[in-house]
Amino acid sequence: NRAMLGKVTVIAFHRARPGKEDALREALLSLCDPTRAEQGCINYDLHVSADDPGLLVFHENWVSEEDLDRHLASPHIDAFRLVADDLLAEPPNITLWSAADA
């Protein structure tokens, strides 16, 4: 059930194909500026694992689920989907969270 009220937190894991670590990092970094300008984006931060340069994770916060849904339908996300199969070892693991003290 994805009916979430209020702020939505996303943790989205991306694993690079071997040899594609730098290309994936650049492709994901290119999403940051346009996404941060979107309505409802509180933060959109990319992190790389200290132990594995091929594992990257977005930590995102959105004002609402509707804002997140708009983001997922945005042109820059669609453009990433076109190159994702070449860069990713597996589909992204996108998980939704809400504050435990909410």
Side-chain angles (χ1 to χ4, degrees), residues 30-100:
S30 75
L31 301 175
C32 291
D33 284 345
T35 298
R36 289 174 182 151
E38 289 180 50
Q39 176 183 332
C41 180
I42 298 169
N43 72 287
Y44 191 78
D45 301 318
L46 183 64
H47 304 273
V48 61
S49 168
D51 300 319
D52 181 353
L55 182 60
L56 295 102
V57 62
F58 274 116
H59 172 253
E60 315 169 26
N61 282 291
W62 296 89
V63 170
S64 71
E65 189 175 2
E66 291 76 20
D67 293 319
L68 172 59
D69 288 343
R70 265 194 305 276
H71 163 67
L72 293 173
S74 66
H76 44 278
I77 294 300
D78 283 345
F80 174 74
R81 287 188 184 107
L82 295 176
V83 299
D85 284 348
D86 182 54
L87 300 177
L88 295 172
E90 60 199 32
N93 180 14
I94 300 171
T95 62
L96 300 180
W97 304 75
S98 58

